[in-house]
């Protein structure tokens, strides 16, 4: 039934894939829709003959679908880029550089993705300053500190809609009110949340919003940045003047068209899919919490519908990941960037965990190929893995 619903033949059904925040298969409906733009409608959208006009029209249609997903006031307020990383860079650098006369201070929460934090640090070389807003033990931004840190020099504040590692959803409407009373512009990284939970840039008074294609079953190689009507940003990729001169480079038409269709489907399916995943999420949390010294990370209630994250005392996240992989279950142990360096995640440290606590983390992000019937198998493997690793752990006698 589920396979029929999803048609996800890209996934080997024998394995249980629980790492949708890292990567997802393209939705077969999206692939079918966008495929002609790989091999049939290949004309350059800047060409003014009929084929070019057709690909241009397809891009504009995709822009409209993405504008609808987040309730942008105008389709022209959507700028296509190549990745969420690029959208975040464009938001931070583009806004700061273009509005330099209005302030040189940038704020971001301590749990932002590295593609927000690094551009901010880079701007320091150009004379900008930045401050980090702390979060509480559930990952919620400290609103008093935000208010205190904002000055008339604060040109842009960046707070993610929901965190990819601990699932916590931030109170964006409250945050935008505070930012607009004192500072200038609010950028929201919605990579982990767009297509999963409702986002309304007008109601929530968001100035810039990052939306990722491959985080909503669209193709890789496309992302979007919503830029509020009237807000001027500087191009960080000058060239042939595509995307209203803000983001040059011949458009990746296949990925852009696919992203639009993925956005349309996500909007349609959101309510049903979110409540389906929430059921699985809550059952998993309930069962995994029964394991000794297992602690949920992130907010217990204000969390993404598909997000389950834990830490286990006395064992390493990497060992959990590799052991579970031997049972054909793929999970994550935090941000892909920190898993490369084996450094504890800056997100887990920001919520107040000690280094040794932050090392034992496990992140499950659910998706269309998962169902409620898988829960007992997943829980069994998590329990066995944790028990086995604890027996081997030199710290196990400390339990
Ligand atoms: N922001 C968030 C919240 C993320 O989780 C990620 C990674 N998926 C990114 C930005 C960057 O995405 P990408 O690597 O696709 O550019």
């Amino acid at each position: 039934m589920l396979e029929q619903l999803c048609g996800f033949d890209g996934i080997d059904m024998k394995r249980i894939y629980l790492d949708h925040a890292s990567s997802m298969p393209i939705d077969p409906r999206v692939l079918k829709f966008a495929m002609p733009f790989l091999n049939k409608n290949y004309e350059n959208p800047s060409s003014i003959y009929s084929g070019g006009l057709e690909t241009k029209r397809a891009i504009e249609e995709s822009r409209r679908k993405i504008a609808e997903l987040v309730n942008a006031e105008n389709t022209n307020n959507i700028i296509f880029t190549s990745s969420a990383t690029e959208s975040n860079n464009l938001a931070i650098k583009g806004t700061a550089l273009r509005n330099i006369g209005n302030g040189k201070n940038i704020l971001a929460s301590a749990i932002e993705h590295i593609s927000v934090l690094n551009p901010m640090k880079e701007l320091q070389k150009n004379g900008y300053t930045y401050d980090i807003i702390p979060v509480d033990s559930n990952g919620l931004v400290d609103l008093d500190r935000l208010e205190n840190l904002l000055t008339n020099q604060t040109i842009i504040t960046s707070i993610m809609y929901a965190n990819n590692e601990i699932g916590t959803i931030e109170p964006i409407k409250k945050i935008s009110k505070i930012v607009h009373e004192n500072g200038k512009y609010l950028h929201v990284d919605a990579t982990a949340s767009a297509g999963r939970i409702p986002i309304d840039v007008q109601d929530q008074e968001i100035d810039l919003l990052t939306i990722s294609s491959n985080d909503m079953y669209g193709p890789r190689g496309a992302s979007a940045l919503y830029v509020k009507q009237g807000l001027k940003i500087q191009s960080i990729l000058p060239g042939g003047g595509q995307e209203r001169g803000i983001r040059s480079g011949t458009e990746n038409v296949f990925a852009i068209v696919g992203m639009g269709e993925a956005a349309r489907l996500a909007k349609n399916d959101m309510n049903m899919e979110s409540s389906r995943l929430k059921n699985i999420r809550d059952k998993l949390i309930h069962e995994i919490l029964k394991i000794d010294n297992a602690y949920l990370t992130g907010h217990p209630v204000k969390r993404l519908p598909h997000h389950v994250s834990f830490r286990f005392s006395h064992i390493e996240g990497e060992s959990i990941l590799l052991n579970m992989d031997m049972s054909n279950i793929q999970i994550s142990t935090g941000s892909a960037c920190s898993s490369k360096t084996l450094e504890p995640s800056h997100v887990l440290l920001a919520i107040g965990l000690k280094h040794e606590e932050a090392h034992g983390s496990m992140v499950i992000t659910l998706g269309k190929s998962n169902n409620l019937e898988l829960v007992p198998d997943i829980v069994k493997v998590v329990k066995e893995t944790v028990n086995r690793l604890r027996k081997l752990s030199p710290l196990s006698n400390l339990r």
Side-chain angles (χ1 to χ4, degrees), residues 21-22 83-86 88 113 115 160 162 164 189 191-192 212 214-215:
S22 297
S83 63
T85 295
E86 189 190 332
N88 284 344
H113 190 260
S115 58
M160 65 208 322
N164 49 306
D189 177 2
T191 302
S212 168
N214 63 275
D215 284 78

Side-chain angles (χ1 to χ4, degrees), residues 199-253:
I199 297 178
D200 185 328
V201 290
Q202 294 187 71
D203 179 59
Q204 291 164 310
E205 296 179 48
I206 295 169
D207 300 298
L208 302 114
L209 184 89
T210 294
I211 310 154
S212 168
S213 168
N214 63 275
D215 284 78
M216 50 185 182
Y217 302 96
R220 289 200 193 88
S223 170
L225 182 68
Y226 159 80
V227 184
K228 189 182 175 169
Q229 191 80 25
L231 168 52
K232 298 265 188 289
I233 62 170
Q234 182 169 312
S235 164
I236 57 166
L237 202 55
Q242 288 89 346
E243 295 298 301
R244 293 177 24 228
I246 292 172
R247 201 278 178 186
S248 288
T250 301
E251 297 87 341
N252 183 347
V253 183

Side-chain angles (χ1 to χ4, degrees), residues 268-312:
N268 269 355
D269 300 349
M270 194 181 296
N271 282 346
M272 222 178 77
E273 183 62 359
S274 284
S275 60
R276 193 184 74 80
L277 294 180
K278 240 185 216 167
N279 268 339
I280 309 175
R281 177 197 74 181
D282 292 344
K283 186 87 184 137
L284 277 172
I285 291 177
H286 180 79
E287 291 301 322
I288 295 173
L289 268 178
K290 290 180 186 164
I291 300 174
D292 277 350
N293 297 312
Y295 306 94
L296 185 73
T297 55
H299 202 284
V301 182
K302 293 173 192 161
R303 65 184 301 130
L304 288 167
H306 63 294
H307 201 288
V308 177
S309 54
F310 272 89
R311 74 172 180 86
F312 302 97

Side-chain angles (χ1 to χ4, degrees), residues 33-95:
F33 186 86
M35 198 57 154
F37 295 91
L38 269 186
N39 55 6
K40 192 166 153 276
N41 302 95
Y42 49 78
E43 291 87 349
N44 192 317
S46 296
S47 302
I48 57 168
Y49 42 78
S50 53
L53 295 179
E54 207 174 309
T55 48
K56 174 111 183 92
R57 250 194 312 275
I59 288 180
E60 294 317 311
E61 179 62 7
S62 173
R63 211 184 297 281
R64 184 188 61 73
K65 291 172 182 171
I66 292 160
E68 268 177 19
L69 176 69
V70 298
N71 194 30
E73 61 277 32
N74 193 322
T75 49
N76 283 337
N77 299 345
I78 303 293
I79 310 290
F80 286 115
T81 67
S82 66
S83 63
T85 295
E86 189 190 332
S87 291
N88 284 344
N89 270 266
L90 179 60
I92 305 291
K93 289 187 196 162
T95 306

